Amino acid sequence: MNIILLGPPGAGKGTQARFLCDERNMIQLSTGDMLREAKDSGTEMGKIVADVMARGELVTDEIVIGLIREKLKGDKKGGFIFDGFPRTLAQADALAELLEQEGETLDAVIEMQVDDNALVARITARSTCGSCGEVYNDNTKPIPADGKCSNCGGTEFKRRADDNEESLKQRLMEYYKKTSPLIGYYYAKGQLSSVDGLGEMSAVKADIAKVLA
Ligand code: AMP
């Protein structure tokens, strides 16, 4: 089963993708994570995308489609979860083509609906474990008092450089201008399901499970 998690930054796509990986042996393909890795390891491509990402703008379709193309050739396990990809109509068309070439289908597109005020609150409070990527939130899921990640025991926590109000505004603008048209695109294709992304993590997880049942 291959699925897309669609929604604005902070909607909870990464958190839900991790649940699906654990429980269904799926593979999370987060273009944001791939780009951050490239940036942190200082590759040529990483250098090109660093400023664009810091400003909260989208990197070129060509770069992200290339990243996804490579991953689709690898182990497919229980299927792919596309997290933060596609973000433009051109990326969506490219994904359809790439899946077809691999003899794969797109089984669901799940839109995670969250209002903008909640997004700002979530994003400015978020941090992740530097070792395993577990997501924390200062208000709703604080880092444990002993300073150790509840998932892996790691003791280093990171805040994303682009999780600040200024670049968030730009990321939201990009979402509404370039990514939200995908909601209509997948609706018209009969592939769209929507869940309320504002609920408790476990409630959102249950709603996603219903869509995939
Ligand atoms: P994310 O972790 O999904 O919020 O992505 C972080 C940043 O990486 C975005 O603000 C963009 O600059 C870039 N990015 C991630 N995925 C894509 C994509 N599919 N298309 C273009 N840019 C992307």
Side-chain angles (χ1 to χ4, degrees), residues 8-26:
K13 304 185 293 294
T15 300
Q16 295 299 328
R18 290 173 67 82
F19 289 142
L20 291 166
C21 290
D22 290 346
E23 291 174 10
R24 295 174 185 248
N25 195 30
M26 296 178 81

Side-chain angles (χ1 to χ4, degrees), residues 4 6-7 91 106 123 135 190:
I4 294 173
L6 186 62
Q91 292 177 23
L106 180 61
I123 284 191
V135 183

Side-chain angles (χ1 to χ4, degrees), residues 31-32 35-36 53 57-59 64 84-85 87 91 160:
T31 40
L35 293 166
R36 273 185 292 280
M53 289 175 76
E57 293 166 10
L58 294 189
V59 310
V64 287
F85 179 93
R87 260 175 156 100
Q91 292 177 23
R160 279 175 45 171

Side-chain angles (χ1 to χ4, degrees), residues 8-10 13 30-33 35-36 49 52-61 64-65 68 83-88 91 123 126 160 162-163 167 171 174 179:
K13 304 185 293 294
S30 158
T31 40
D33 286 349
L35 293 166
R36 273 185 292 280
V49 299
V52 180
M53 289 175 76
R55 285 198 299 272
E57 293 166 10
L58 294 189
V59 310
T60 65
D61 289 335
V64 287
I65 292 167
I68 291 289
D83 162 10
F85 179 93
R87 260 175 156 100
T88 63
Q91 292 177 23
I123 284 191
R126 118 174 132 175
R160 279 175 45 171
D162 59 351
D163 274 353
S167 98
R171 284 155 70 200
E174 293 282 66
T179 309

Side-chain angles (χ1 to χ4, degrees), residues 9 55-57 120 123 162 164-176:
R55 285 198 299 272
E57 293 166 10
V120 177
I123 284 191
D162 59 351
N164 58 70
E165 278 202 63
E166 198 47 43
S167 98
L168 177 59
K169 263 191 228 153
Q170 185 59 33
R171 284 155 70 200
L172 278 176
M173 192 64 84
E174 293 282 66
Y175 178 78
Y176 288 116

